[in-house]
Amino acid sequence: MTKVLTDVREAVLKITNQLLDLKRPSNEDSLKEVGDAEKIGYFPRDFGMEEWDWPQGVGLLGLKNLAGDDAFPDYREYIKNWAEDQIQRGLPLKNINTTAPMLTLMDYEERETLALEWVDWIINQAPRTKENGLQHVTSGDTKHDLKLNEGQIWIDTLFMVVLFLSKMGIKYGQQAWIDEAAYQVNLHIDHLFNQEDSLFYHGYDFDNDHHFSEAYWCRGNSWYTLAAPELIETLKGKLSSEAYEKMAGTFKAQVNRLVALQSENGLWHTLLDDSDSYTEVSGSSAIAAGILKGIRLGLLDSSYIAVCRKAVEAVLANIAEDGTVLNVSAGTAIGKEKEDYKRIIIAPTAYGQALAIVLLSEVLQHEGLLSN
């Protein structure tokens, strides 16, 4: 084992311990005093593992990705206990973002009924836009409220819901679920991917036919970069060649554009094409992890290693001594103006910790990445 890989494992342990201990910001009261906390990205459920929503779903995935490496504790018992505790406390209303924990929990036998129940919601009950898109419904102020975002699709959905749906389709041999997952991927590509710029808009409003501020948001784009290799691998042989090539071709085109936009410090700007916007660690981690996974699965060649190495070094430089992942943008609703994205606060979050874990756990499957 090289010293570099030892350093990566030590970093992962610190990040993971901090994920499990992460609490809400010490200045929470002052953040709550802001007239519209959503404008700066302050969502209390984003901090720590106490809630059931998408940040915790990403957190579970980070822990799951460490399985099988003897250098780390076995987090399976933690995941089981976390789910049981959440169920005892009462689960939130089903929506796009609260589906994210199921991507990990679907692999636990005791959660089979819940996973099947969630798929039934996706297929038969989830609100739809025109063209039968999965409307990006999220949690409201509490887990018992919903924010409908009527007529809207967001790029986040491909990671939060569609990856889970595709894997459930394979697990249970349900071609209808596989077809629905593929349809949603292609629908989101059709309406969110700008072919000229090879980047995804944050969202699309079917009712008013626009892309809001037409922002190329870093973490939003990273959801596709991270999910696409696994979607492509999962759905291989289950789709028409045309649909498969569209998915893979979009991934490669996006990656090539992202390579060109990587900043000198190794990260990506929160507005990918705006060098005046801050560079952001969570989206950059997911981008680099997705590219590495694409290399591992044979979707990309080894020429992309240098880009990943630069990004990994940058992420490692943004890990504090206590394991806090720094320079992570807070929760980000769709901005009416591009400037809105620059106003989102920087704060330690569960998903920031987790996406760094996802990246570094992928690095550990590419021995020699940092040392060559």
Side-chain angles (χ1 to χ4, degrees):
M1 182 192 306
T2 67
K3 180 182 184 303
V4 174
L5 291 180
T6 300
D7 291 344
V8 168
R9 287 192 169 92
E10 290 177 353
V12 170
L13 278 171
K14 290 199 300 184
I15 296 168
T16 304
N17 288 337
Q18 184 67 348
L19 167 65
L20 301 183
D21 291 339
L22 195 64
K23 302 292 187 271
R24 293 178 181 178
S26 58
N27 63 335
E28 181 175 39
D29 289 342
S30 63
L31 291 172
K32 286 180 178 179
E33 292 173 2
V34 176
D36 186 351
E38 183 174 303
K39 287 186 176 180
I40 62 169
Y42 182 69
F43 298 90
R45 60 179 167 266
D46 291 358
F47 305 97
M49 294 295 291
E50 294 178 2
E51 305 291 334
W52 175 303
D53 213 288
W54 75 268
Q56 296 73 35
V58 183
L60 295 181
L61 180 65
L63 297 177
K64 172 186 172 182
N65 283 1
L66 301 179
D69 192 320
D70 293 338
F72 305 114
D74 187 342
Y75 292 106
R76 285 175 294 186
E77 199 63 30
Y78 171 88
I79 294 171
K80 287 182 181 180
N81 291 338
W82 179 89
E84 184 61 33
D85 178 62
Q86 292 293 327
I87 291 168
Q88 291 297 321
R89 290 167 55 190
L91 294 185
L93 294 177
K94 292 182 177 65
N95 61 60
I96 296 298
N97 285 350
T98 57
T99 304
M102 299 311 304
L103 181 59
T104 295
L105 297 180
M106 63 170 283
D107 294 329
Y108 287 76
E109 183 178 353
E110 58 267 46
R111 300 280 81 91
E112 179 179 32
T113 299
L114 186 62
L116 291 169
E117 177 186 308
W118 223 287
V119 169
D120 179 73
W121 174 82
I122 295 168
I123 297 295
N124 298 311
Q125 301 173 53
R128 301 283 176 147
T129 65
K130 296 175 184 176
E131 299 184 29
N132 212 32
L134 284 169
Q135 184 171 303
H136 196 82
V137 179
T138 63
S139 299
D141 292 337
T142 75
K143 66 182 182 181
H144 304 298
D145 304 313
L146 293 176
K147 187 172 183 180
L148 293 178
N149 298 314
E150 292 183 4
Q152 299 177 23
I153 58 171
W154 296 14
I155 188 61
D156 316 45
T157 297
L158 297 185
F159 181 88
M160 305 301 168
V161 171
V162 177
L163 189 53
F164 161 66
L165 181 60
S166 68
K167 295 182 75 172
M168 286 290 287
I170 296 297
K171 180 176 180 178
Y172 290 96
Q174 293 290 330
Q175 188 63 42
W177 301 351
I178 294 169
D179 291 343
E180 177 65 12
Y183 176 79
Q184 293 299 326
V185 174
N186 285 322
L187 179 77
H188 283 69
I189 290 173
D190 286 343
H191 289 286
L192 297 178
F193 189 65
N194 185 320
Q195 298 287 344
E196 291 185 6
D197 290 338
S198 295
L199 295 171
F200 285 92
Y201 296 120
H202 190 169
Y204 176 70
D205 184 337
F206 277 94
D207 294 344
N208 298 290
D209 189 24
H210 63 70
H211 295 99
F212 301 91
S213 63
E214 299 188 350
Y216 296 135
W217 176 44
C218 176
R219 193 163 62 239
N221 270 265
S222 81
W223 292 132
Y224 187 78
T225 322
L226 182 60
E230 193 163 352
L231 281 166
I232 292 165
E233 180 72 8
T234 299
L235 298 174
K236 189 174 183 178
K238 303 294 183 180
L239 307 176
S240 68
S241 58
E242 180 181 3
Y244 182 84
E245 289 303 322
K246 181 177 181 178
M247 201 180 301
T250 299
F251 172 66
K252 293 173 186 176
Q254 187 211 28
V255 167
N256 286 333
R257 180 66 171 139
L258 290 170
V259 168
L261 291 171
Q262 187 179 29
S263 73
E264 284 299 315
N265 71 9
L267 302 175
W268 280 268
H269 295 274
T270 198
L271 289 174
L272 290 166
D273 59 345
D274 183 352
S275 60
D276 290 333
S277 65
Y278 58 79
T279 53
E280 201 277 324
V281 171
S282 71
S284 296
S285 295
I287 287 170
I291 295 174
L292 278 175
K293 186 175 288 189
I295 295 169
R296 179 163 56 84
L297 296 179
L299 300 170
L300 301 170
D301 62 44
S302 61
S303 66
Y304 295 89
I305 286 289
V307 171
C308 296
R309 184 185 299 122
K310 188 175 180 180
V312 170
E313 290 170 349
V315 170
L316 288 171
N318 277 277
I319 300 170
E321 187 59 35
D322 66 356
T324 300
V325 178
L326 307 173
N327 292 310
V328 171
S329 63
T332 308
I334 286 184
K336 293 181 179 179
E337 300 175 359
K338 290 182 181 179
E339 290 298 311
D340 292 340
Y341 292 85
K342 298 181 182 181
R343 300 187 185 105
I344 299 297
I345 60 172
I346 299 294
T349 64
Y351 57 81
Q353 300 294 124
L355 288 172
I357 296 169
V358 169
L359 169 59
L360 297 180
S361 64
E362 184 65 37
V363 169
L364 294 174
Q365 299 190 59
H366 298 258
E367 190 164 356
L369 169 63
L370 297 180
S371 56
N372 290 343

